[in-house]
């Protein structure tokens, strides 16, 4: 996909009504320090479209980015950040659950996991949650440039096993530094657009 225009169109807090969009949506979920903002900026070829921060847990809203009037990229709040209160974490969880449960245009959910570490309890819960809501999670293993090339396949196998993901679950390595894996993610997002067009015919 060639990015012609991208616009942060809607920002939803805990009490906001979710928008009733007429374009397909793809959502990105992950722990608050997994590199989600960096990935979104890399996908969009923008340096600061999504705010990256040295303080994890900054994304406290659901952000809807309109891409080329063809697709919404939906940035979900980062979860699992220890320095926010239990009440705050619960509130973010309810926001994510409400979105996954009620969006009529959500077509794919990407779950970001740091390739260097075994998935956390929160990661496993989110993977199961996405599956429970009827979506096939697509796992993106971020920070792939932080390990040797030879270790990538080994880490992906470990993550697959730890999540209990079947052999059909797509698991992709990604680096926001080198942009490795970006085209694979865009191919999957392009498929969403194409499938939506076919369904409307």
């Amino acid at each position: 996909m060639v990015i012609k225009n991208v616009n942060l169109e809607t920002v939803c807090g805990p009490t906001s009504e979710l928008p009733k969009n007429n374009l397909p949506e793809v959502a990105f979920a992950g722990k608050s320090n997994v590199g989600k903002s960096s990935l979104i900026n890399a996908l969009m070829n923008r340096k600061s479209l999504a705010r990256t921060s040295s303080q994890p847990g900054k994304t406290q809203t659901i952000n809807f980015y309109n891409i080329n009037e063809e697709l919404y990229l939906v940035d979900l709040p980062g979860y699992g950040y220890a320095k926010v209160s239990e009440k705050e974490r619960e509130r973010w969880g309810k926001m994510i659950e409400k979105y996954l449960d009620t969006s009529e245009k959500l077509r794919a959910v990407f779950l970001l996991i740091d390739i260097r570490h075994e998935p956390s309890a929160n990661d496993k819960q989110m993977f199961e949650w996405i599956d429970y809501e009827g979506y096939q999670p697509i796992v993106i293993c971020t920070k792939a440039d932080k390990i040797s090339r030879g270790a990538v396949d080994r880490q992906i196998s470990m993550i697959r096993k730890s999540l209990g993901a079947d052999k059909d679950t797509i698991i992709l390595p990604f680096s926001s530094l080198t942009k490795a894996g970006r085209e694979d993610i865009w191919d999957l997002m392009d498929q969403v657009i194409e499938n939506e067009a076919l369904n409307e015919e």
Side-chain angles (χ1 to χ4, degrees), residues 48-61:
S48 57
L49 181 70
R51 294 237 180 110
T52 57
S53 173
S54 57
Q55 289 181 278
K58 276 293 188 185
T59 305
Q60 301 176 21
T61 52

Side-chain angles (χ1 to χ4, degrees), residues 21-82:
N21 292 322
N22 58 1
L23 299 173
E25 299 168 359
V26 295
F28 286 75
K31 274 201 309 195
S32 50
N33 59 350
V34 77
K36 186 154 50 69
S37 295
S38 296
L39 179 143
I40 290 169
N41 288 332
L43 283 176
M44 301 298 121
N45 283 325
R46 304 291 198 277
K47 285 188 178 172
S48 57
L49 181 70
R51 294 237 180 110
T52 57
S53 173
S54 57
Q55 289 181 278
K58 276 293 188 185
T59 305
Q60 301 176 21
T61 52
I62 299 178
N63 300 328
F64 291 79
Y65 296 92
N66 185 327
I67 304 168
N68 293 351
E69 297 293 332
E70 291 183 291
L71 178 80
Y72 283 99
L73 187 157
V74 183
D75 182 10
L76 299 174
Y79 56 79
Y81 185 47

